Amino acid sequence: MTQTNTAGMSPGVDASDHSSHSHSRKDLPMLMLGALGVVYGDIGTSPIYAFREAMHIRPGASSTDSEILGLLSLIIWALTLTVTLKYVFFVTRADNNGEGGTLSLMALARKTFTNPPVWITVMGVMGAAMFFGDAIITPAMSVLSAVEGVKLVAPDMARWVVPITLVIIFGIFFVQRFGTAKVSIVFGPITGLWFLVLGFSGLVHIIQYPAVLMAVNPLLGAEFIATHFGMAFIVIGAIFLAVTGAEALYVDLGHFGRKPIVIVWFALVFPCLLLNYFGQGAFVLSVGIENVDSPFFEMQPDWALGPFVALATAATIIASQAVISGTFSLAQQAIALNMLPRMMVLHTSATQSGQIYMPQINTMLMIGVLLLVLAFGSSSALSHAYGIAVSGVMIMTLALLVVVMWRNWKWHPIAVISFGVVFAVIDGAFFTANATKLLQGGWVPAVVALGVGMTMWSWMAGRRRLSEKTRRDEVPLQFLVDNLSKKKPALVPGTAVFLTSDIEGAPTALLHSLKHYKVLHEKNVILTVRTSPSPRVPDDEKVTIDAYNELFSRVVVTFGFMESPNIPKALALGRKLGWKFDIMSTSFFLSRRSLKLGPKTNFLQYWQDRTFTRLARNASDATEYFHIPTGRVVEIGTQVVL
């Protein structure tokens, strides 16, 4: 038979916006609209609370104009350096064939190493875990901050803020099942209107007080830090709220592609954010800081306050979408990379493969967000919990990006070091500032991140131990094939496919089948499914077929880590290689392992194995995960003691 090469192992990387699922030009307007609604919803609601929280840390009502300008300058330059320069200009270029996110970046960084160092995997796991911690904070913070605006319109509604928020959040997670594409069609125009209103409302006040534009001078921000060094980290923690959402921007890269994201940022999002922050600063300077509590809402005219609160609430609903869809993408990548157990992945778009819905992740996120709203009750209280996970993700992203710049993009070491040092100082300051709020609520995302990280590490360690134990007990495949060719058992018509993760050992299902049934099919396929470090693998490189003899063949199917592994479809590709695959005459033999805990002397080992066995029991069924028709599956149970 003809044999193809295993795909996706090339160490090269295209840093531009090319991918195997690239979007056509005619789709660009819709992708831009979708990116506007999904990607930028989070960062677009930061003006509601970022400048407000920075003002609350001012050194008293006697603050001078230069101090307000200094705070504003810090926000402007945080947006410019962290979001525009680092994320939009550099990080989004580090796409793994169009896909983004910490795990995608980790896979990209690992490609150029023959034996990738463990610390790259550790950083990938830590970054992914911290993103999950961020995912339960963002929806709660965004929606609460907007709904609180009703207190300015109707003070008697204050007691209804939390109940209204809970209902809205439940609705956000309920509509996820309809998919990113359908959601973004509705969200895109609303978010576009939101940014235009942000920009216009800010521009009105800039015209009235143009001196506020002096805040573009970065020396004013540096001067504020130098003269208020005692509260510098607290201030930086508040300033950081202006850039939250950048991490979701990168994770959602695979949904829309780099080009729509970049165009929308420079054409609409960034200018409108700058105008609004400048406008808030102009309003505070014109009326006096002692007369302002929430500049974002208070700078609106009385007649517009009601509609503005309604629009802000709609915008914050949309803001939650970026991190939710990003979490789905990240979880799918973690499953494909064997960092999490199998879970149900539903594709919600017939044309865009990156748009997915994961019911289990959606439910867990919803429960976490609802509990946070009930526990904290206000956006000001929740702001203390916001930031530590996001800033942690940014540090992990920077570390992996530096590896990609050095190993993949072949940058000069001096350029890599210079870039790394500059942003290490910025990201390090943000992380340290947020870490000071650990006891004030920052422990919440930290605990979630720690839990997810330990779960991922336990799953990987458990899989490794299970593989080692299974390999010790298995018969070498070549030995079994040679013996069966010499002394053939009774043959029955049809094809048997035996799934195994070990390419060298005989599948457990094959051994037990021979032991109990004492027959063999006319054609027997030893099937191994592998995950490529690339997001997607072309069809002509997906299948490798190699014949042992007339009875046995080895088939290796390679899926990208962003692909839904459909085994029947992949095997049908084997027809081009001379294999006459017919699903109706094929039986799939799967080994269902029952895991038992053996005696342990090490508590950590006991805890890891116990976590692994529980995760394995709750993992989605392999038949469903690999899209194998249930009527063609034979499962053979075995017991393994860990």
Side-chain angles (χ1 to χ4, degrees):
M1 289 186 182
T2 306
Q3 182 175 329
T4 69
N5 294 323
T6 303
M9 301 305 174
S10 173
V13 61
D14 184 358
S16 61
D17 190 27
H18 297 291
S19 70
S20 57
H21 62 300
S22 59
H23 311 290
S24 63
R25 287 187 177 183
K26 65 180 181 180
D27 295 331
L28 186 59
M30 290 304 297
L31 290 170
M32 289 170 60
L33 187 65
L36 182 61
V38 173
V39 176
Y40 290 118
D42 186 5
I43 201 168
T45 56
S46 296
I48 298 176
Y49 47 78
F51 191 53
R52 180 195 70 193
E53 293 302 318
M55 280 176 48
H56 287 172
I57 308 169
R58 66 187 185 273
S62 60
S63 298
T64 63
D65 288 1
S66 63
E67 289 171 332
I68 300 303
L69 289 173
L71 289 173
L72 187 58
S73 179
L74 289 171
I75 290 178
I76 299 305
W77 282 100
L79 271 174
T80 302
L81 293 176
T82 299
V83 185
T84 303
L85 186 60
K86 179 186 172 184
Y87 271 90
V88 175
F89 195 74
F90 285 109
V91 175
T92 56
R93 292 178 182 272
D95 66 292
N96 195 341
N97 288 346
E99 296 298 335
T102 308
L103 294 181
S104 181
L105 189 59
M106 178 200 73
L108 194 60
R110 286 168 56 95
K111 276 185 179 181
T112 54
F113 291 93
T114 305
N115 294 306
V118 176
W119 58 267
I120 291 183
T121 303
V122 170
M123 287 193 294
V125 169
M126 290 175 63
M130 289 178 183
F131 188 89
F132 280 101
D134 168 41
I136 69 166
I137 298 284
T138 296
M141 179 72 179
S142 298
V143 179
L144 257 178
S145 63
V147 176
E148 285 170 348
V150 303
K151 294 187 291 186
L152 298 175
V153 181
D156 293 339
M157 290 286 291
R159 68 180 184 274
W160 292 100
V161 168
V162 170
I164 292 172
T165 301
L166 294 175
V167 171
I168 290 173
I169 287 173
F170 179 82
I172 291 171
F173 285 98
F174 179 79
V175 301
Q176 294 304 313
R177 66 193 66 202
F178 300 114
T180 306
K182 293 180 181 178
V183 169
S184 64
I185 290 173
V186 178
F187 284 179
I190 297 175
T191 309
L193 176 62
W194 169 252
F195 278 111
L196 290 174
V197 171
L198 282 184
F200 180 77
S201 65
L203 182 61
V204 169
H205 291 281
I206 294 171
I207 293 172
Q208 294 174 356
Y209 200 97
V212 73
L213 296 175
M214 292 173 58
V216 76
N217 183 358
L219 295 179
L220 291 176
E223 181 184 354
F224 182 94
I225 296 295
T227 55
H228 301 84
F229 197 74
M231 63 172 63
F233 278 123
I234 304 176
V235 171
I236 290 173
I239 299 300
F240 182 72
L241 296 174
V243 301
T244 54
E247 77 292 346
L249 176 155
Y250 182 45
V251 176
D252 281 320
L253 185 65
H255 287 248
F256 304 101
R258 181 174 184 268
K259 190 173 183 179
I261 290 175
V262 173
I263 292 174
V264 170
W265 173 257
F266 285 108
L268 181 65
V269 177
F270 190 40
C272 290
L273 287 176
L274 291 179
L275 286 173
N276 191 265
Y277 281 119
F278 276 122
Q280 289 188 51
F283 174 73
V284 171
L285 291 171
S286 62
V287 303
I289 191 170
E290 67 278 1
N291 301 316
V292 181
D293 181 60
S294 181
F296 182 79
F297 288 111
E298 292 175 24
M299 73 178 187
Q300 311 306 325
D302 293 339
W303 62 267
L305 191 55
F308 198 80
V309 170
L311 180 60
T313 303
T316 55
I317 292 172
I318 297 168
S320 306
Q321 186 62 48
V323 73
I324 294 171
S325 57
T327 306
F328 293 158
S329 296
L330 201 66
Q332 184 193 27
Q333 293 176 23
I335 293 168
L337 294 170
N338 293 321
M339 293 180 171
L340 283 176
R342 291 188 301 267
M343 285 180 272
M344 185 182 296
V345 179
L346 302 177
H347 288 260
T348 59
S349 172
T351 58
Q352 304 301 330
S353 56
Q355 297 182 6
I356 58 173
Y357 167 65
M358 301 184 67
Q360 292 162 290
I361 297 294
N362 192 63
T363 301
M364 288 188 286
L365 279 181
M366 182 183 70
I367 293 171
V369 174
L370 293 175
L371 289 175
L372 274 182
V373 172
L374 289 170
F376 285 86
S378 73
S379 61
S380 291
L382 198 56
S383 68
H384 297 303
Y386 202 27
I388 190 168
V390 184
S391 55
V393 173
M394 289 184 174
I395 288 178
M396 295 301 108
T397 300
L398 175 64
L400 292 170
L401 179 63
V402 167
V403 176
V404 170
M405 287 176 166
W406 168 45
R407 302 277 301 188
N408 297 59
W409 297 354
K410 308 299 181 183
W411 275 28
H412 193 281
I414 294 178
V416 174
I417 293 171
S418 300
F419 180 91
V421 169
V422 169
F423 283 99
V425 171
I426 297 173
D427 292 347
F430 283 144
F431 182 78
T432 306
N434 284 288
T436 61
K437 298 184 288 186
L438 188 65
L439 299 180
Q440 298 171 278
W443 59 270
V444 174
V447 167
V448 172
L450 180 63
V452 173
M454 293 300 292
T455 299
M456 295 173 73
W457 202 256
S458 297
W459 179 256
M460 290 188 291
R463 278 184 54 86
R464 186 169 57 251
R465 278 173 48 77
L466 179 62
S467 177
E468 291 171 353
K469 187 171 183 63
T470 304
R471 192 176 292 113
R472 287 197 301 267
D473 299 336
E474 281 182 348
V475 176
L477 178 60
Q478 189 65 54
F479 174 80
L480 181 66
V481 168
D482 292 342
N483 275 273
L484 290 174
S485 63
K486 296 175 183 176
K487 187 178 180 181
K488 296 179 182 178
L491 299 181
V492 295
T495 301
V497 177
F498 298 92
L499 270 72
T500 178
S501 58
D502 184 5
I503 202 166
E504 299 295 336
T508 305
L510 172 59
L511 295 173
H512 282 261
S513 177
L514 287 169
K515 177 181 178 182
H516 294 289
Y517 305 133
K518 296 179 174 57
V519 296
L520 200 63
H521 283 72
E522 291 177 331
K523 300 291 182 182
N524 298 276
V525 175
I526 311 301
L527 176 64
T528 299
V529 177
R530 287 179 167 177
T531 301
S532 168
S534 298
R536 288 170 180 80
V537 176
D539 286 350
D540 58 350
E541 300 178 6
K542 200 173 239 86
V543 180
T544 298
I545 301 177
D546 194 15
Y548 288 102
N549 51 39
E550 70 276 6
L551 285 177
F552 285 93
S553 297
R554 156 71 65 192
V555 175
V556 177
V557 178
T558 307
F559 294 103
F561 65 78
M562 284 297 292
E563 291 184 282
S564 178
N566 190 314
I567 285 181
K569 281 187 177 180
L571 294 182
L573 298 173
R575 293 168 182 162
K576 297 179 181 179
L577 306 178
W579 178 26
K580 298 178 181 179
F581 173 72
D582 179 14
I583 188 70
M584 299 309 298
S585 63
T586 302
S587 298
F588 294 85
F589 287 79
L590 278 66
S591 176
R592 180 179 286 274
R593 294 187 178 96
S594 175
L595 303 178
K596 302 292 182 182
L597 290 177
K600 308 289 180 187
T601 57
N602 186 313
F603 174 77
L604 179 61
Q605 189 69 68
Y606 170 80
W607 181 87
Q608 275 194 337
D609 286 350
R610 187 174 182 84
T611 302
F612 175 70
T613 54
R614 287 186 175 181
L615 290 172
R617 288 169 188 165
N618 289 289
S620 295
D621 186 71
T623 303
E624 181 181 17
Y625 183 73
F626 290 115
H627 298 85
I628 305 173
T630 53
R632 311 305 308 170
V633 174
V634 178
E635 290 191 345
I636 299 178
T638 59
Q639 183 171 300
V640 179
V641 179
L642 289 176

